[in-house]
Amino acid sequence: MKIEPMETPDTRSEFELRFHYLQNIIKQGKFHVNANISMDGLLKVRKLPNGRIDFLSVNEQARLHANNMYHMRNFKLPDNIDLDE
């Protein structure tokens, strides 16, 4: 399996796209984390009155979650992996 480097956003719109993608994944119930992983960073992300993301409220943990989920959006599991184990 080839691991590709994660692309990081270059503009505000790319940065916000990643957070909106993560928000949609969470609403669809497709975002699951281990109980030992803190989600405090995501819970503290705020929106400005104009609907944009308040960058001052985004910490490293929230940024990494958003970038990782966006990067993995086209990831396909290999056929030989048994999900029932």
Side-chain angles (χ1 to χ4, degrees):
M1 176 169 57
K2 182 181 176 187
I3 298 176
E4 297 180 16
M6 188 181 313
E7 294 178 17
T8 55
D10 292 325
T11 64
R12 180 184 184 104
S13 62
E14 289 176 2
F15 189 80
E16 288 181 332
L17 172 67
R18 284 158 170 75
F19 275 94
H20 291 299
Y21 181 80
L22 177 59
Q23 181 183 23
N24 287 334
I25 292 295
I26 292 171
K27 285 181 180 178
Q28 293 173 12
K30 296 181 180 179
F31 183 75
H32 305 283
V33 294
N34 187 300
N36 297 329
I37 296 176
S38 170
M39 292 288 102
D40 289 342
L42 286 176
L43 296 174
K44 292 180 181 178
V45 175
R46 298 181 312 256
K47 285 189 175 181
L48 298 169
N50 64 359
R52 309 285 306 258
I53 293 175
D54 179 5
F55 285 159
L56 297 176
S57 69
V58 176
N59 68 7
E60 183 177 356
Q61 179 196 47
R63 180 182 53 80
L64 288 172
H65 279 300
N67 283 338
N68 189 46
M69 290 306 295
Y70 189 78
H71 178 72
M72 300 294 284
R73 71 192 182 282
N74 296 323
F75 181 76
K76 306 268 189 278
L77 287 174
D79 293 332
N80 60 351
I81 292 181
D82 185 12
L83 297 176
D84 295 328
E85 289 184 3

